[in-house]
Amino acid sequence: SSFKKSKLCLPEPSKRFSKDFLTRLIRSDVHKYYSVASLNEVMYLHYLGAERIECLEDFTGLKVLYLEGNALSEIEGLDRLINLKILYLQENIIKKIKGLENLPELVNLNLSDNLISTVKGLEGNRKLENLQLKRNRIGINGIGDIEALAGYKSISALDLSQNYIDLDNWKDLISILEQMDSLAVLYLFKNPI
């Protein structure tokens, strides 16, 4: 991609997005980005080694945000991105799902390959249809790790593959899944269950 060709990288040692970095990024490829931050609908900030999500408040028009493959431990700094529909946060070190409550348009969320043990914090995302949580730590504390799923009525595709959901709780799992009115696709392979 032209982003890789530009060799634009985060300044050491901070590994943080700055206004200056984001300005240089959108100016680095006039075919991919608009120079006015709020006009951009897609932003590629993946595989940069970033440790925090910040300085995105001017990108209010974003609909798709790529943040995978960084060193993010928290979901933060997204409050003003109210038009965001797709968020890629896989391959980070996130332990807790939070910071998404002001994203009412969110439809697709990928949190695979993180350190998440409990699924909760998505109550404000009423349009969420696709939730990917593959290769996390879900179920390590028992069935309570997924109880909140029963309240997420809009999710139609759920990937819980390669987690720790075990056979001792299969009746509870079925009860939770039955309450997910829109659920049509479920991946559970490589769980003890």
Side-chain angles (χ1 to χ4, degrees):
S1 78
S2 57
F3 178 76
K4 287 182 181 176
K5 288 177 192 170
S6 71
K7 298 194 184 212
L8 207 60
C9 45
L10 290 173
E12 292 284 351
S14 68
K15 292 295 187 184
R16 296 169 73 166
F17 302 126
S18 66
K19 292 240 185 221
D20 178 59
F21 170 79
L22 294 171
T23 299
R24 285 186 292 119
L25 173 66
I26 62 176
R27 289 183 181 162
S28 70
D29 190 343
V30 295
H31 299 290
K32 192 183 293 182
Y33 298 113
Y34 293 103
S35 60
V36 176
S38 62
L39 296 178
N40 290 287
E41 293 186 356
V42 179
M43 176 70 65
Y44 299 93
L45 297 172
H46 54 305
Y47 300 105
L48 292 170
E51 295 174 349
R52 292 192 68 187
I53 305 169
E54 56 192 347
C55 298
L56 294 176
E57 58 274 354
D58 295 335
F59 292 87
T60 54
L62 283 182
K63 292 184 179 173
V64 182
L65 181 56
Y66 291 85
L67 284 166
E68 73 268 23
N70 283 294
L72 303 171
S73 59
E74 288 187 40
I75 305 169
E76 60 187 344
L78 302 175
D79 293 347
R80 303 233 7 239
L81 307 183
I82 59 170
N83 296 306
L84 200 61
K85 293 181 178 288
I86 302 171
L87 180 57
Y88 296 104
L89 284 166
Q90 68 270 23
E91 299 175 29
N92 280 287
I93 53 173
I94 298 166
K95 292 182 179 178
K96 189 173 183 180
I97 303 172
K98 65 176 188 170
L100 300 171
E101 49 281 335
N102 292 322
L103 305 177
E105 300 300 316
L106 196 62
V107 174
N108 186 350
L109 176 61
N110 191 336
L111 284 164
S112 296
D113 297 296
N114 276 287
L115 304 172
I116 297 164
S117 60
T118 305
V119 183
K120 64 179 180 180
L122 298 168
E123 294 77 19
N125 309 109
R126 300 195 188 284
K127 293 184 180 181
L128 188 62
E129 295 175 9
N130 185 352
L131 179 59
Q132 298 168 10
L133 291 162
K134 182 174 27 179
R135 287 185 298 273
N136 274 283
R137 297 177 175 179
I138 298 162
I140 207 158
N141 302 309
I143 199 70
D145 285 354
I146 60 169
E147 285 178 334
L149 283 171
Y152 303 148
K153 305 296 185 187
S154 61
I155 294 175
S156 60
L158 176 63
D159 189 347
L160 291 169
S161 302
Q162 299 177 336
N163 278 286
Y164 297 90
I165 302 165
D166 73 28
L167 197 56
D168 294 339
N169 300 308
W170 69 271
K171 287 182 181 178
D172 293 330
L173 174 64
I174 297 299
S175 176
I176 290 166
L177 297 174
E178 285 177 336
Q179 295 176 64
M180 297 178 72
D181 299 337
S182 301
L183 190 63
V185 179
L186 174 66
Y187 295 103
L188 275 174
F189 65 90
K190 293 196 177 178
N191 274 283
I193 197 163

